[in-house]
Amino acid sequence: MEQSQGPMGDEAGRRRAPRWALPVGMAALVLLVAAAVTVAVVWFLILRPRPEEAVIHLNRGDASYNQGDLEAALAEYGQAIRSDPDSAEAYFRRGVAYAELGDLERARDDYDRAIELNPDHAGAYVARSLTYGSPGDLETVIADLDQAIRLLPDDGKVYHARGNAYHDLGDYERAVADYGQAIRLGSDPGDAYCDRGDAYYALGDYDRAIQAAPDDAGAYYSRGSAYVALDD
């Protein structure tokens, strides 16, 4: 026999929500919507990247840098970063200003960020290589210059710089090769010839050292000493 239900059916057995739940729920919804609107407004007015403004601050920073006002340049570059946090160029230029002030640690941090944002920023690799001062950092310097040469294969100055790093590392053969490439590409040929002469000298190739630097008395003396040793 089918059991009869009351006039409210099964709904009568269900627990009703308290009367205060509806207004509280509506208030919570209103607060959530307001918070979302606030976040959107803050993002649009403050946090939203503004590349056009960043360019203006970069130009102002460059003007201050060229006038020698490095503090003003730093302020403008910082504002460019705030306007466009993804601007690798803004970090790079601020790093250059920090380096000019002698703050190599901050400069390196900015170059790191520039490279993170744009792994093909050749200037940042070259500039970062100049922030290392310890002989133990030479491998890191060479690694940065390797990347720069990959991106700027026709820039003799970068080869010259890597040749200097190899020279300081004691790898004179590679130094000679890089100096030669720098000379072929037309990068400061006088300095490159002299540096290559120093590398030949370190290798004991005094004839080539003299050819590279004919006014270097040390090369003539060393060549004479070598001839004396051979006679003995």
Side-chain angles (χ1 to χ4, degrees):
M1 183 175 181
E2 185 176 353
Q3 186 177 357
S4 63
Q5 298 180 353
M8 298 295 295
D10 290 338
E11 296 296 329
R14 295 179 184 175
R15 185 177 182 181
R16 292 182 177 179
R19 294 179 181 275
W20 51 263
L22 182 59
V24 169
M26 291 297 294
L29 179 60
V30 170
L31 288 174
L32 286 174
V33 171
V37 170
T38 300
V39 169
V41 170
V42 169
W43 180 86
F44 184 81
L45 295 179
I46 300 176
L47 301 178
R48 175 178 59 90
R50 300 183 298 280
E52 300 84 359
E53 290 186 18
V55 170
I56 294 172
H57 290 294
L58 284 176
N59 291 335
R60 290 176 180 172
D62 290 346
S64 296
Y65 181 91
N66 292 331
Q67 292 170 2
D69 191 346
L70 297 177
E71 293 296 341
L74 284 173
E76 290 293 344
Y77 294 144
Q79 188 60 46
I81 290 170
R82 285 187 287 276
S83 297
D84 185 3
D86 294 330
S87 173
E89 192 63 26
Y91 280 101
F92 169 67
R93 296 188 196 184
R94 190 175 71 173
V96 171
Y98 275 132
E100 189 72 16
L101 284 170
D103 193 341
L104 298 183
E105 185 174 351
R106 284 186 176 179
R108 190 181 307 124
D109 288 343
D110 275 352
Y111 297 145
D112 287 344
R113 182 60 177 153
I115 290 169
E116 181 181 345
L117 290 168
N118 179 11
D120 290 337
H121 198 303
Y125 287 110
V126 174
R128 189 172 67 177
S129 75
L130 300 175
T131 65
Y132 299 102
S134 170
D137 295 327
L138 286 171
E139 294 287 357
T140 303
V141 170
I142 291 170
D144 272 349
L145 294 174
D146 285 345
Q147 291 298 321
I149 287 172
R150 175 180 64 84
L151 297 164
L152 299 171
D154 297 325
D155 191 327
K157 292 182 179 179
V158 184
Y159 281 98
H160 195 166
R162 191 175 68 175
N164 288 337
Y166 278 130
H167 192 285
D168 291 343
L169 192 63
D171 192 341
Y172 303 116
E173 294 284 357
R174 288 185 176 178
V176 165
D178 273 353
Y179 292 142
Q181 184 67 3
I183 291 168
R184 284 188 289 275
L185 292 171
S187 167
D188 299 325
D191 290 340
Y193 274 113
C194 289
D195 289 336
R196 188 171 66 173
D198 289 341
Y200 281 135
Y201 183 93
L203 287 168
D205 192 340
Y206 305 123
D207 288 337
R208 288 191 177 183
I210 290 170
Q211 290 174 6
D215 295 330
D216 187 349
Y220 286 101
Y221 177 82
S222 297
R223 186 172 68 175
S225 298
Y227 285 145
V228 171
L230 287 173
D231 289 340
D232 290 341

